[in-house]
Amino acid sequence: MSHLQRPDAAVEALVVHRNPLLRAGITAALSSVFRVRDAGNAALSTTGGPDRPRLVVADHDGALQALGAATRRVSPGPTGAQAPQWLVVSPAMNGGRVRLAMSAGVLGYVHASCSLEELCDAALAVAAGRRYLCRTAAASVAEGWLGDALTPRERDVLRMLCLGLDNKSIGLRLGVAAGTVKTHVKTLLQKLDARSRTQAATEALRRGLLDEPTSDFGELAGDLQPRRAVDLPATTQRVATRSSPLLGLAGA
């Protein structure tokens, strides 16, 4: 933490994380470098006015909801009031989630299993107006760039593949021959470095390649009636949990 300057003691950080254990751990960890306030599940609107914090630490969904509400708010904030900077601490991580949060206005994103020192470094950087991604978040964003290499049609095929549709069913919905779909699937397996359709679906979800629907697929989504879902491994169906120093600090 030596390379980052500690803020003035008056700088306030607000913790609004929905996970009570993580919230307690974050509050305890940041109390050494900020004047921290645990707001529970309170919305950002409760922090309005001249005393609004410089830093808000939240979960992914809470941050997106609050930032979306702030964007829709008609009345401006107090004159001269500085909008808080946002840091997300999340136990779930993929490139799509991270990119979505950053595009919404979040400056920092760290995994819930990060060290206490890294959390403080991230909070200090974000409070100073600088972006911060932990190694896991940065890697997930880098992996997610593969999505830019997928054509709109490949994305459509990948989405339907994840729904468990076979080549013939996909072809009927896209208006192409099953052989054409087979070619797209083969290309997807190569791009995702996957050996099977199930592995391709797993990789697509892990990398966050399917967070944003394509315009072509949007018109078809309502007509999809998958006969079976792709049988994804249990590690993909549930949020991976790893030992977190924050949880240990919360129980201290």
Side-chain angles (χ1 to χ4, degrees), residues 17-18 23 50 57 66 70 79 82 96 102 138-139 167 179 188-189 222 244 248:
H17 206 286
R18 297 182 182 184
R23 188 172 68 245
V57 184
T79 303
Q82 182 181 10
M102 303 297 274
N167 291 349
L188 286 169
L189 293 180
S244 171

Side-chain angles (χ1 to χ4, degrees), residues 9-57:
V11 172
E12 183 180 41
L14 187 69
V15 182
V16 292
H17 206 286
R18 297 182 182 184
N19 183 308
L21 290 178
L22 284 177
R23 188 172 68 245
I26 293 168
T27 300
L30 296 184
S31 61
S32 62
V33 288
F34 289 96
R35 181 163 54 88
V36 185
R37 184 153 55 95
D38 183 343
N41 292 323
L44 180 60
S45 59
T46 62
T47 69
D51 296 328
R52 68 171 62 191
R54 180 181 299 181
L55 172 71
V56 179
V57 184

Side-chain angles (χ1 to χ4, degrees), residues 51 61 63 87 98 123 144 152 240:
D51 296 328
D61 292 338
L87 170 65
V98 177

Side-chain angles (χ1 to χ4, degrees), residues 94-97 99 144 203-212:
N94 68 51
R97 287 171 62 88
R99 291 193 303 272
E203 279 297 300
L205 295 174
R206 185 180 69 84
R207 301 184 189 192
L209 301 182
L210 301 179
D211 283 3
E212 296 296 331

